[in-house]
């Protein structure tokens, strides 16, 4: 690779990294599609390969270089809050607490608006969707 090619790649990388990207994880739903697994836990805490879905999602987001994450909660909210408080992910993980009223998708995002003030780029991620998508490539294109 020539020095011009190297610096071009480096410049594209810094354009992505320098943006303040916040991830918003939708985890407040009742998890009806996953019932009976969600009878005693939120869908975010359903285990897959010995880890809660939320952990898989947060680790993927952090691996993409995003260090500001908001998770909305409603169904068994304390289980998610306690999990976040007791784990280190290498990112700031904040809770948007919807325990009083489930606001659905757009309403949940609107409710969390005060937490999103510093975000230049917003990544939306459903906690119950596991994917092998390359988040870096997606962010670069969008």
């Amino acid at each position: 690779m020539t020095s011009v090619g190297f610096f071009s790649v480096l410049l594209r990388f810094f354009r992505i990294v320098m943006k303040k990207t916040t991830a918003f994880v939708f985890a407040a739903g009742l998890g009806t599609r996953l019932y009976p697994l969600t009878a005693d836990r939120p869908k975010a805490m359903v285990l897959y390969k010995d880890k809660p879905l939320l952990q898989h999602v947060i680790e993927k987001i952090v691996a993409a270089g995003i260090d500001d994450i908001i998770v909305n909660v409603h169904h068994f909210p304390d289980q998610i809050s306690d999990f976040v408080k007791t784990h280190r992910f290498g990112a700031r993980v904040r809770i948007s607490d919807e325990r009083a009223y489930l606001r659905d998708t757009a309403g949940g995002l609107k409710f969390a608006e005060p937490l999103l003030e510093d975000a230049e780029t917003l990544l939306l991620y459903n906690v119950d969707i596991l994917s092998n998508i390359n988040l870096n490539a997606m962010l670069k294109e969008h």
Side-chain angles (χ1 to χ4, degrees):
M1 176 181 286
T2 67
S3 61
V4 172
F6 172 77
F7 286 112
S8 175
V9 169
L10 193 61
L11 181 60
R12 279 196 312 245
F13 172 77
F14 279 114
R15 281 189 190 138
I16 295 168
V17 172
M18 296 306 284
K19 284 183 182 179
K20 172 66 173 142
T21 301
T22 298
F24 186 89
V25 179
F26 291 102
L30 301 175
T32 54
R33 288 185 304 260
L34 293 174
Y35 189 84
L37 298 173
T38 54
D40 62 350
R41 71 190 70 211
K43 61 186 174 183
M45 299 310 295
V46 169
L47 297 179
Y48 174 73
K49 294 189 177 182
D50 299 321
K51 292 193 298 193
L53 293 174
L54 182 61
Q55 185 172 347
H56 287 281
V57 169
I58 290 174
E59 288 173 352
K60 183 171 188 70
I61 290 168
V62 170
I66 300 169
D67 64 359
D68 186 31
I69 302 169
I70 300 166
V71 180
N72 72 338
V73 298
H74 173 78
H75 185 60
F76 296 108
D78 293 330
Q79 289 184 33
I80 296 174
S81 296
D82 292 345
F83 179 77
V84 166
K85 287 177 192 170
T86 59
H87 288 76
R88 293 185 182 266
F89 295 106
R92 174 173 71 160
V93 181
R94 296 176 286 162
I95 299 295
S96 178
D97 195 329
E98 298 179 26
R99 77 179 67 218
Y101 177 74
L102 181 60
R103 290 166 171 81
D104 295 321
T105 305
L109 194 55
K110 178 68 175 167
F111 183 74
E113 195 171 24
L115 301 173
L116 299 169
E117 288 178 346
D118 296 335
E120 294 176 25
T121 302
L122 183 61
L123 171 71
L124 303 177
Y125 208 116
N126 290 336
V127 76
D128 56 349
I129 304 292
L130 295 178
S131 168
N132 65 353
I133 190 169
N134 182 329
L135 294 178
N136 286 320
M138 183 187 72
L139 289 169
K140 185 173 89 172
E141 293 298 320
H142 297 284

